[in-house]
Structures are given as structure tokens and as C-alpha cells.
Amino acid sequence: MDLAEIRARDFLEETAVTRRVLERIPDDKLGWRPHAKSWTAGELATHVSNLPVWGRFILEQDELDLHPPGGTPLPPPAIVQSHDELLTRWDGNVAPVADMLRGTSLERFRQPWTLKHGGATLLQLPRAGAFDAFVMRHQAHHRGQLTVYLRLLDVPVPQVYGPTADEP
């Protein structure tokens, strides 16, 4: 198995776990927020559902400028309005990235990827590192937040990396 297939397999394993969490977000609680400073469940779930899109940015482009000089800033995604819309968006964003990973060479994974704002470089990482940071770890971080939301809403928390109080 080559690196591209390993990366695709890891991505699909993590996204399957994230989907199990997203499946539990109640349709009638998308507007709920645990604290005034927190995102609503719908806003957080929307953010999570769009994280795979960053995989496309990283694998397809050499750089991403969030607000290119003289151009239009990257628009925020529309907040999901239903549980079905959330899962449809998630599934539609995951599948193409898995395919892209399978077709990415070791050389491409090693090439730099740059994140900019207004033409200024914010950071530059090897493509593999950028994918890990902006897709894999970012997804795990916000998935963890969603599990806290589920607990506070008294919704059974699915297994992530092991048993939960609800799924031993």
C-alpha cells in the first residue's frame, strides 16, 4: 500500500467517526448554543461539515488567499438548516477528497502549500502537514466540541476512539 492509499484510508476512518457524531446532532437543536460565546450546534456542525473542502484547497492549489488583494474574500459557508442537509453536505465534501488523496504522489505531499490573507503569507507548510493541520486535526478538535454539545443536550455520545458512557 502506497502513501496515498494510506492517507486516503486514514482520512476515511476519521471522517467515518466524525459522521457518527454529526448523525447525532438533533434537527431541533441546530440553533442551540451552550454559552453566549459559543457557536450554535448548527454553526459548529456547518464548520465541521466544510472542513474536508480545505483538503481540496490543499491538494488542488499551491496556495489559498482568504482575501485576495482586489478580489473577493472566501465566503463563509451557508449554515445548515436541517440534519439531512448537514449529512448530505458532509458526504458530498468527503468523497472527492478521498479520491484526490489516492491520486496524490509523495512528491506532491512534500511540496509547499501556502495560506495567505490579503496577499501576505500567514504560513507555509508541506502539503501533507497542511492537510493534517487543517483537515485531520481541525476535524478532531471540533468533533470533540460536538461531543460535548451532545452530552449537554443529553444525546447519547457515539464511540470516537473508544467507548463512551453511552456506548461501552
Side-chain angles (χ1 to χ4, degrees):
M1 186 180 298
D2 68 357
L3 179 63
E5 190 55 41
I6 291 168
R7 300 292 305 224
R9 185 195 65 206
D10 289 347
F11 174 72
L12 288 172
E13 287 175 3
E14 285 298 309
T15 57
V17 172
T18 301
R19 192 180 200 289
R20 284 198 307 267
V21 173
L22 293 173
E23 288 170 350
R24 303 283 175 101
I25 305 296
D27 213 26
D28 65 339
K29 298 295 184 186
L30 291 173
W32 180 85
R33 72 177 75 232
H35 187 276
K37 294 180 179 179
S38 301
W39 278 343
T40 66
E43 290 166 340
L44 182 54
T46 296
H47 182 65
V48 170
S49 73
N50 284 286
L51 289 176
V53 172
W54 279 77
R56 293 174 63 187
F57 295 151
I58 293 163
L59 296 172
E60 288 180 333
Q61 303 169 196
D62 291 332
E63 66 180 42
L64 174 65
D65 196 322
L66 300 172
H67 196 304
T72 305
L74 187 68
I79 305 302
V80 295
Q81 299 300 308
S82 72
H83 184 259
D84 289 342
E85 180 185 353
L86 170 63
L87 295 178
T88 298
R89 185 179 300 183
W90 174 255
D91 293 341
N93 287 337
V94 166
V97 175
D99 290 340
M100 289 173 148
L101 282 167
R102 286 187 190 98
T104 302
S105 68
L106 178 58
E107 179 183 330
R108 183 117 174 111
F109 279 128
R110 289 179 173 160
Q111 291 172 346
W113 182 80
T114 306
L115 180 65
K116 294 182 174 184
H117 188 277
T121 297
L122 299 176
L123 62 86
Q124 187 175 67
L125 296 168
R127 201 173 303 278
F131 189 89
D132 287 346
F134 287 97
V135 180
M136 303 295 278
R137 289 192 298 268
H138 200 148
Q139 177 187 169
H141 164 71
H142 288 302
R143 180 178 64 212
Q145 288 179 302
L146 283 172
T147 63
V148 173
Y149 279 39
L150 294 175
R151 176 64 65 225
L152 293 172
L153 289 168
D154 201 27
V155 174
V157 177
Q159 290 189 18
V160 175
Y161 294 124
T164 68
D166 303 305
E167 292 186 3

